């Protein structure tokens, strides 16, 4: 199966595997070669995404289990298609009642078989947590929960365990050593049973556990005939009575965990979380036994031919991403020998979810096939922005809001806030790891925990990458550069008294002289401290940048996207071509995405919003008018008007960029549905920004005022014309946005790499952040459009319905299937554009083995549609450049292409009848873009 294109599907209870199986013929006809599935291993019941895995040994029963997966794969093979599976090696879902590994740790503590599976610090600085696990799952303080009766002891007759339950949602097993006390409280025949648990007996851990299990069998059997004494025993711990409450408290205090309010996790947690999510615990996949236990099913599925590769979630969360990826490659290649004969010709695919900063490249020695495509999402978005609008939009943002002009001035305070509030526990843990190592050296033992924490904070605030990867071999040149940048920034802000400590931390974290560190425990402690720092810098970046500063900095929200750097307003065509050519050399099989389950805005929402970079003056006029018209609808909350101007400006960007095509402002029902979608974004935006509200402590008054303001903005009954003005402005920028959308689509399908299609984006994707971007998809309409098989040129006249986009995808993927080697191995050649609109055209060729493809895409579409700046474009405006605008703009072809004889129009109606005058070696752009803003020619 030749890898040509992937289609991402988000499976959940309401969209199980069998539903995906039904869509395989559609995707096959569209030109997709591989489905790309969200995690399929057993997740927490009701999971809408699958990243909260509780059991790595089975396919999620809610999705249909392994039988449904086998049915899906059978149909895939019938259509000569493959399957890529999203896997989650960094964390598991904890709390609740369904993760047996986690429950075993709570029950047995350090003696659990899984005590080293989770990334737990069993000897933290907090003496109350020595040898314990913080269990921060209570909805209120521990004392309040105890007094309210939210914590209750009960006997589970199915497995013979005593457990404490909280809210019916969380289960805390009681250590077997405490069963004797509980059983004695029941009196009668339970006294005899209590003796079985009073003395663990001889032997090691395995022998004790076996005896305890046999004793539990006896409890189950005895309970079946004598439930009354068990009820008596449990009643002695009833928190409704003061004696019972005190007895239950003392019982809990002796356990291998400390039950706590969820808020305690921010400061006290002693295990690594996924970001700041208490229900997701980091696992130590770097340990061989953990790798084997978490990958056995995945490797079996690969060996059996059920999957063809994997997408590794959050690779930067792992202790050693390089080592993990190389090991995964070895394991998959070993399993390859057992695959069905007809699948042995295709090597295993490994993609990593990783955000690359502007200066960063994925290391080749990780032995992966590349990233999941955030980098391309950034580049294609950047090239569709007009750099000339940057200064004006920056001035407009700062003048209206008083917020910083530079994104970094939002990012640094956000990093500091995240470190002091959200990830304080993780900073404490990293500090403790460094302190533990430094106390071994007489020269460094006098540096205090507080000083180390202060210096670490300054270093992390100035970090310009997600992480470094220094280890026993020291740091790479890239790591040294990234650390040097952070150190340079930290030197400016660290306390003068801490300068020497900061320099020493830089030395330690870079792995300098690590081989001179005595082998054994001391060296391992240093390595552990280095890893803890690296595993902290990544979530700090994610939480501070994507989940905080992106919601504070609203110069132009289309550049606030996962994998993007808002300070990089635009990318020039030259930069875009250079990056694309480099990718062909380094990662020709990497994914190329423009939409994902994690995006902040849909792919067509972003590129419509990019149009504002071309018309900053018109945007300023609109903002000035709207803020004036809507001023009476603001309310004062905590001494400030709600929403404040920054939130208001970002709200207007959201309204016009995601406005559904064809939505009439007097359609009350449709407008209300759209208002509900924007309301979901508005709540999330306010809480993620953490300025006026936040998830941990929602400011209900501010949020309510913002929602009421939105209701006034999108009120079909309002006499003022504001809603109609929103619709009119959205319609004005929609044609240019649609041109950008088709250019973005064609570039994703034709630049080096493997194009990835996110579910439903075959039509216009005007979604917002999750959960809006995970809504159900109307596949019937997409199937019907595909079956009609109309050309993009013909459908351009009815572009608002989105069928033209699907047609572009289908025609281009069909071209890829006709000449797979051209697209997999073909060189990338930038084609020179000359003439009055040379800055508005991207052109390149893919060339291989006597065949070529010429790709032409427009950019900065407003000039092409509205050269006089009248602003009269609307949903009735054709989405191709005006002929007179392109007059004199040409594309120069190299001799290697002009020597070929046949030119075929892939997207138009001319087919093989297209005739190109090649004597001059030039193509007239106006001829190519007479019906569409893009063109694709097959040559040879």
């Amino acid at each position: 199966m030749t890898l040509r294109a992937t289609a991402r599907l988000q499976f959940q209870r309401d969209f199980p595997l069998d539903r995906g199986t039904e869509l395989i013929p559609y995707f096959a006809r569209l030109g997709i070669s591989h489905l790309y599935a969200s995690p399929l291993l057993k997740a927490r019941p009701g999971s809408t995404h699958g990243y909260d895995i509780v059991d790595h040994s089975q396919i999620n029963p809610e999705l249909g289990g392994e039988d449904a997966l086998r049915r899906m794969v059978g149909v895939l093979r019938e259509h000569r298609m493959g399957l890529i599976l999203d896997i989650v090696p960094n964390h598991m879902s904890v709390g609740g009642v369904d993760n047996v590994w986690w429950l075993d740790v709570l029950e047995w503590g350090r003696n659990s078989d899984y005590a080293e599976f989770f990334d737990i610090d069993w000897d933290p600085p907090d003496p109350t947590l020595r040898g314990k696990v913080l269990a921060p799952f209570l909805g209120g303080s521990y004392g309040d929960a105890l007094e309210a009766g939210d914590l209750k002891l009960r006997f589970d007759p199915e497995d013979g365990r005593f457990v404490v339950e909280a809210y019916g949602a969380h289960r805390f097993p009681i250590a077997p050593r405490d069963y004797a006390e509980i059983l004695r409280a029941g009196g009668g025949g339970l006294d005899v049973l209590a003796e079985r648990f009073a003395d663990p007996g001889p032997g090691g851990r395995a022998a004790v556990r076996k005896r305890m299990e046999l004793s539990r069998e006896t409890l189950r059997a005895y309970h079946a005939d004598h439930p009354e004494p068990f009820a008596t025993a449990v009643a002695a711990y009833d928190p409704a009575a003061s004696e019972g409450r005190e007895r239950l408290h003392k019982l809990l205090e002796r356990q291998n965990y400390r039950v706590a309010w969820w808020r305690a996790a921010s400061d006290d947690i002693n295990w690594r979380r996924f970001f700041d999510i208490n229900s997701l615990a980091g696992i130590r996949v770097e340990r061989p036994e953990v790798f084997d236990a978490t990958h056995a099913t995945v490797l079996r599925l690969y060996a059996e031919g059920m999957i063809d590769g994997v997408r590794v979630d959050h690779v930067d969360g792992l202790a050693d991403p390089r080592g993990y990826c190389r090991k995964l490659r070895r394991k998959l290649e070993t399993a390859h020998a057992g695959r069905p004969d007809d699948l042995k010709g295709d090597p295993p695919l490994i993609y990593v979810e990783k955000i690359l900063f502007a200066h960063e490249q994925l290391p080749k020695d990780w032995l992966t096939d590349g990233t999941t495509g955030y980098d391309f999402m950034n580049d294609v978005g950047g090239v569709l922005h007009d750099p000339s609008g940057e200064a004006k939009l920056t001035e407009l943002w700062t003048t209206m809001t008083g917020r910083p002009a530079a994104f970094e001035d939002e990012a640094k305070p956000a990093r500091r806030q995240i470190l002091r509030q959200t990830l304080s526990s993780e900073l404490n843990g990293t500090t403790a790891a460094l302190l533990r190592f430094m106390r071994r050296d007489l020269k460094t033992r006098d540096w205090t925990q507080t000083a180390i924490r202060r210096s670490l904070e300054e270093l992390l605030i100035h970090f310009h990458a997600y992480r470094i990867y220094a280890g026993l071999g020291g740091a790479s040149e890239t790591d040294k550069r990234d650390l040097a940048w952070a150190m340079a920034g930290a030197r400016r802000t660290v306390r003068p008294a801490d300068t020497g400590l900061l320099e020493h931390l830089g030395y330690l974290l870079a792995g300098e002289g690590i081989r001179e560190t005595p082998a054994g425990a001391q060296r391992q402690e240093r390595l552990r401290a280095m890893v803890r720092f690296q595993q902290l810098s990544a979530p700090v970046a994610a939480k501070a940048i994507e989940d905080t500063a992106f919601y504070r900095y609203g110069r132009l929200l289309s550049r606030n996207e996962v994998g993007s750097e808002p300070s990089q307003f635009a990318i020039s065509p030259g930069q875009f071509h250079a990056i694309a050519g480099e990718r062909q050399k380094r990662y020709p099989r990497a994914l190329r995405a423009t939409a994902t389950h994690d995006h902040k805005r849909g792919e067509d929402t972003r590129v419509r919003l990019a149009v504002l970079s071309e018309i900053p003056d018109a945007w300023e006029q609109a903002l000035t008018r709207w803020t004036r018209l809507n001023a009476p609808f603001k309310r004062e909350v905590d001494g400030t008007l709600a929403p404040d101007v920054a939130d208001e400006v970002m709200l207007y960007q959201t309204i016009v960029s995601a406005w559904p095509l064809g939505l009439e402002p007097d359609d009350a029902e449709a407008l209300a549905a759209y208002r509900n979608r924007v309301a979901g974004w508005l709540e999330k935006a306010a809480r993620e920004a953490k300025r006026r509200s936040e998830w941990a402590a929602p400011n209900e008054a501010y949020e309510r005022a913002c929602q009421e303001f939105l209701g006034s903005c999108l009120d079909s009954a309002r006499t003022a014309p504001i809603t109609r003005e929103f619709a009119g402005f959205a319609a004005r920028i929609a044609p240019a946005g649609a041109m950008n959308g088709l250019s973005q689509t064609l570039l994703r399908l034709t630049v080096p790499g493997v194009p990835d299609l996110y579910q439903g984006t075959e039509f216009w994707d005007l979604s917002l952040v999750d959960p809006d971007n995970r809504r159900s998809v109307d596949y019937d309409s997409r199937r019907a459009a595909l079956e009609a098989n109309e050309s993009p040129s013909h459908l351009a006249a009815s572009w608002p319905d989105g069928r033209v986009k699907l047609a572009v995808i289908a025609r281009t993927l069909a071209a890829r299937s006709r000449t797979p080697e051209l697209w997999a191995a073909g060189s990338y050649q930038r084609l020179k554009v000359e003439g009055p609109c040379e800055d508005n055209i991207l052109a390149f060729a893919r060339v291989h083995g006597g065949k070529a493809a010429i790709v032409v895409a427009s950019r900065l579409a407003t000039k092409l549609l509205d050269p006089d700046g009248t602003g009269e474009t609307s949903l009735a405006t054709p989405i191709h450049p005006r002929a007179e605008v392109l007059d004199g703009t040409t594309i120069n072809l190299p001799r290697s292409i002009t020597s070929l004889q046949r030119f075929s129009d892939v997207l138009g109606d001319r087919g093989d009848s297209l005739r190109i005058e090649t004597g001059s070696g030039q193509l007239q752009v106006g001829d190519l873009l007479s019906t569409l803003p893009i063109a694709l020619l097959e040559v040879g």
Side-chain angles (χ1 to χ4, degrees):
M1 292 165 297
T2 302
L3 177 65
R4 298 187 308 275
T6 62
R8 169 77 178 200
L9 292 179
Q10 292 291 122
F11 290 100
Q12 53 166 302
R13 181 171 54 195
D14 296 330
F15 188 83
L17 288 163
D18 284 338
R19 181 75 178 98
T21 301
E22 296 170 3
L23 297 174
I24 290 173
Y26 160 74
F27 284 119
R29 177 160 183 171
L30 185 63
I32 299 298
S33 65
H34 289 67
L35 288 188
Y36 165 27
S38 60
L40 300 181
L41 299 182
K42 185 179 178 182
R44 176 139 290 167
S47 173
T48 60
H49 47 75
Y51 291 97
D52 44 1
I53 290 173
V54 296
D55 186 350
H56 288 271
S57 68
Q58 60 175 309
I59 301 299
N60 196 343
E62 283 195 345
L63 305 181
E66 191 161 321
D67 288 343
L69 178 60
R70 290 187 181 279
R71 289 193 293 272
M72 169 181 276
V73 173
V75 178
L76 284 171
R77 300 314 185 200
E78 289 174 8
H79 289 81
R80 299 189 59 75
M81 293 173 66
L83 178 64
I84 298 170
L85 177 62
D86 200 338
I87 64 173
V88 190
N90 175 67
H91 56 267
M92 290 183 74
S93 182
V94 297
V97 300
D98 39 23
N99 187 329
V100 296
W101 293 358
W102 179 257
L103 294 174
D104 196 80
V105 171
L106 296 184
E107 183 174 20
W108 292 95
R110 298 184 89 157
N111 288 321
S112 168
D113 293 338
Y114 307 103
E116 299 301 323
F117 275 46
F118 296 96
D119 206 346
I120 300 167
D121 183 358
W122 291 102
D123 296 297
D126 184 351
T128 69
L129 284 174
R130 301 277 168 80
K132 291 178 178 285
V133 175
L134 187 73
F137 303 113
L138 298 181
S141 74
Y142 169 73
D144 289 343
L146 193 65
E147 187 170 342
D150 293 331
L151 293 165
K152 294 182 179 180
L153 178 70
R154 80 175 189 88
F155 178 74
D156 185 343
E158 292 185 7
D159 66 0
R161 279 181 169 85
F162 284 103
V163 299
V164 170
E165 291 186 343
Y167 319 111
H170 296 285
R171 179 183 175 104
F172 305 106
I174 298 300
R177 65 176 178 264
D178 291 311
Y179 280 28
E181 176 197 292
I182 300 172
L183 291 169
R184 287 176 183 137
L190 296 187
D191 286 337
V192 176
L193 294 175
E195 296 306 316
R196 291 175 172 266
F197 295 92
D199 182 5
R205 180 172 63 182
V208 170
R209 290 194 61 148
K210 185 175 182 179
R211 281 195 295 275
M212 291 298 100
E213 183 56 40
L214 291 173
S215 297
R216 274 199 287 259
E217 289 284 352
T218 304
L219 288 184
R220 282 196 292 268
Y222 192 82
H223 180 274
D225 297 322
H226 308 88
E228 296 82 4
F230 286 86
T232 301
V234 168
Y237 295 82
D238 187 347
S242 59
E243 290 183 2
R245 188 161 57 248
E246 181 64 20
R247 191 176 285 118
L248 179 58
H249 166 62
K250 289 181 178 179
L251 177 66
L252 285 169
E253 289 291 277
R254 294 195 299 271
Q255 300 312 303
N256 300 304
Y257 48 84
R258 193 187 97 202
V259 182
W261 190 11
W262 65 267
R263 290 184 185 276
S266 294
D267 294 318
D268 291 345
I269 205 165
N270 63 327
W271 44 273
R272 181 171 58 88
R273 300 175 291 177
F274 174 71
F275 295 167
D276 60 340
I277 303 174
N278 292 354
S279 60
L280 296 176
I283 55 176
R284 302 183 65 188
V285 75
E286 68 273 15
R287 295 178 67 91
E289 67 273 22
V290 181
F291 183 100
D292 292 342
T294 54
H295 289 71
T297 300
V298 171
L299 293 171
R300 174 178 63 81
L301 293 174
Y302 179 74
E304 293 177 4
M306 299 281 285
I307 63 173
D308 303 282
V310 296
R311 178 257 199 198
V312 179
D313 179 62
H314 190 49
V315 72
D316 272 340
L318 306 182
D320 179 13
R322 175 184 180 273
Y324 169 82
C325 290
R326 291 171 68 89
K327 181 174 184 176
L328 181 60
R329 173 68 68 186
R330 292 195 305 272
K331 292 285 188 179
L332 286 170
E333 288 178 348
T334 299
H336 192 82
R339 281 169 70 78
D341 290 341
D342 60 336
L343 299 178
K344 288 183 177 177
D346 301 309
L349 298 166
I350 300 177
Y351 293 110
V352 291
E353 186 218 15
K354 175 168 171 55
I355 291 175
L356 298 169
F357 277 61
H359 61 274
E360 190 177 8
Q361 289 187 327
L362 184 67
K364 290 287 289 182
D365 65 355
W366 286 18
L367 305 183
T368 71
D369 292 285
T371 73
T372 54
Y374 294 142
D375 44 350
F376 175 75
M377 209 153 89
N378 169 61
D379 297 336
V380 73
V383 81
L384 295 175
H385 282 71
D386 189 346
S388 67
E390 179 177 5
K392 180 68 176 182
L393 289 174
T394 302
E395 180 184 11
L396 179 61
W397 169 250
T398 57
T399 301
M400 290 191 70
T401 68
R403 304 297 300 176
F407 177 71
E408 191 61 24
D409 290 334
E410 290 284 18
K412 286 179 181 177
R415 284 176 178 267
R416 192 177 297 279
Q417 182 175 349
I418 291 298
L419 283 166
R420 292 184 175 180
Q421 297 177 9
T422 311
L423 298 177
S424 179
S425 287
E426 285 71 15
L427 180 57
N428 289 340
T430 304
T431 300
L434 282 162
L435 180 66
R436 196 173 290 137
F437 171 75
M438 293 169 69
R439 285 278 166 88
R440 287 180 175 270
D441 190 332
L442 299 181
K443 296 180 180 179
T444 60
R445 73 177 189 178
D446 289 339
W447 273 318
T448 66
Q449 181 174 339
T450 302
I452 295 172
R453 193 183 194 280
R454 280 197 309 263
S455 299
L456 273 178
E457 182 178 318
E458 297 308 315
L459 189 57
L460 288 162
I461 284 167
H462 294 279
F463 222 74
H464 286 270
Y466 259 60
R467 62 171 284 177
I468 59 174
Y469 306 92
L472 190 58
S476 68
E477 291 304 312
T478 300
D479 289 341
K480 291 177 182 177
R481 177 196 61 197
D482 290 337
L483 191 56
W485 285 352
M487 289 289 291
R491 290 186 188 106
R492 296 193 298 270
T493 58
V494 76
R495 292 186 182 187
D498 292 337
T499 301
L501 171 56
L502 176 69
E503 298 302 327
H504 189 69
L505 289 178
Y507 173 85
L508 290 179
L509 296 173
E512 298 286 347
I514 191 169
R515 292 194 179 275
E516 283 73 57
T517 302
Q522 189 169 352
R523 185 182 292 178
Q524 288 304 310
E525 281 186 356
R526 181 174 177 186
L527 285 169
R528 186 73 184 130
M530 292 166 62
V531 167
R532 285 301 297 260
F533 172 79
Q534 293 166 26
Q535 290 179 309
L536 174 58
S537 68
V540 168
K543 293 302 296 180
I545 303 302
E546 299 165 33
D547 293 345
T548 304
F550 275 9
Y551 292 91
R552 295 180 177 181
Y553 187 74
R555 176 176 65 181
L556 193 58
L557 294 178
S558 46
R559 291 304 289 150
N560 296 13
E561 189 51 80
V562 179
S564 298
E565 172 60 41
S567 61
Q568 186 184 41
F569 187 81
I571 292 174
S572 70
Q575 288 175 293
F576 181 84
H577 288 303
I579 293 169
E582 183 63 22
R583 286 206 187 105
Q584 174 62 15
K585 297 174 184 176
R586 291 178 58 83
Y587 283 105
R589 290 155 64 91
L591 294 183
R592 298 288 167 258
T594 46
T596 76
H597 61 285
D598 282 332
H599 67 233
K600 304 298 182 185
R601 284 161 198 85
E603 59 184 41
D604 297 303
T605 310
R606 287 195 306 274
V607 294
R608 182 196 286 182
L609 194 53
V611 176
L612 299 187
S613 69
E614 304 174 57
I615 54 169
D617 291 330
W619 179 238
E620 180 181 24
Q621 293 172 9
L623 283 184
T624 302
R625 176 172 169 78
W626 295 343
T627 53
R628 178 175 56 82
L629 287 176
N630 286 327
F633 299 99
K634 292 189 173 188
R635 286 199 294 108
E636 185 173 316
V637 177
D638 299 330
T640 186
L641 292 177
D644 66 15
V645 180
D647 286 342
E648 183 181 8
V649 170
M650 289 188 278
L651 173 61
Y652 294 147
Q653 290 186 48
T654 300
I655 289 174
V656 300
S657 62
W659 189 276
L661 291 162
L663 171 61
E664 294 294 335
D666 54 1
D667 185 339
E669 183 177 352
L671 187 64
Y674 180 53
R675 184 169 60 242
N676 288 338
R677 291 178 51 212
V678 178
W681 169 85
L682 184 59
E683 178 187 79
K684 183 164 186 170
R687 294 183 181 183
E688 296 282 28
K690 305 172 191 67
R691 294 191 306 113
R692 307 293 185 189
S693 188
E694 58 181 300
W695 293 106
N699 184 335
E700 295 180 1
Y702 183 81
E703 291 184 8
R704 185 164 51 251
C706 289
Q707 294 293 346
E708 291 171 356
F709 180 83
L710 171 62
S712 299
C713 289
L714 299 182
D715 182 359
S716 60
R718 183 173 164 186
T719 55
I722 188 68
T723 305
R724 191 164 295 281
E725 288 189 21
F726 289 145
F729 195 93
R732 173 182 176 179
I733 62 176
M739 290 175 65
N740 283 345
L742 292 184
S743 291
Q744 177 176 247
T745 298
L746 183 63
L747 292 171
R748 169 167 54 88
L749 298 169
T750 55
V751 300
V754 177
D756 175 48
L757 175 78
Y758 181 66
Q759 61 180 26
T761 58
E762 304 95 301
F763 285 179
W764 301 123
D765 173 24
L766 297 174
S767 63
L768 298 169
V769 72
D770 67 278
D772 193 64
N773 63 6
R774 303 178 191 181
R775 288 174 293 148
S776 60
V777 177
D778 176 10
Y779 280 108
D780 289 340
S781 61
R782 287 159 175 77
R783 262 192 295 238
L786 185 61
E787 291 292 331
N789 195 30
E790 296 180 82
S791 73
S793 288
H794 176 72
L795 293 172
S798 56
W799 64 267
D801 63 24
R803 291 179 299 155
V804 62
K805 184 181 176 185
L806 182 144
V808 168
I809 294 169
R811 289 286 182 99
T812 307
L813 290 181
R816 290 183 71 102
S817 67
R818 285 192 292 270
T819 54
E821 286 301 315
L822 168 66
W823 298 100
S827 64
Y828 182 93
Q829 299 181 17
R830 177 183 183 179
L831 300 179
K832 186 175 183 181
V833 183
E834 294 181 324
C837 289
E838 61 186 37
D839 290 336
N840 297 85
I841 302 297
L842 287 169
F844 61 88
R846 303 294 304 277
V847 182
H848 181 76
K851 294 183 180 297
I854 297 173
V855 179
V856 182
S858 62
R859 61 185 291 267
L860 312 186
T862 299
K863 176 184 176 181
L864 303 176
L865 289 175
D866 184 23
D868 300 324
T870 61
E872 295 179 355
T873 52
S874 69
L875 298 186
T877 301
I879 54 167
H880 61 78
R882 288 170 52 172
E884 68 273 18
V885 176
L886 290 177
D887 189 32
T889 302
T890 61
I891 298 172
N892 295 333
L893 299 180
R895 176 65 182 167
S896 60
I897 294 179
T898 58
S899 63
L900 302 176
Q901 297 301 310
R902 186 179 65 84
F903 287 72
S904 176
D905 182 5
V906 174
L907 306 179
D909 296 313
R910 293 172 289 190
D912 291 336
S913 65
L914 181 66
R915 293 289 180 267
I916 301 293
E917 175 54 55
T918 59
S920 64
Q922 292 184 331
L923 294 176
Q924 296 295 324
V925 176
D927 292 341
L928 291 177
L929 306 187
S930 59
T931 58
L932 286 167
I934 56 175
L936 173 61
L937 307 180
E938 289 182 308
V939 186

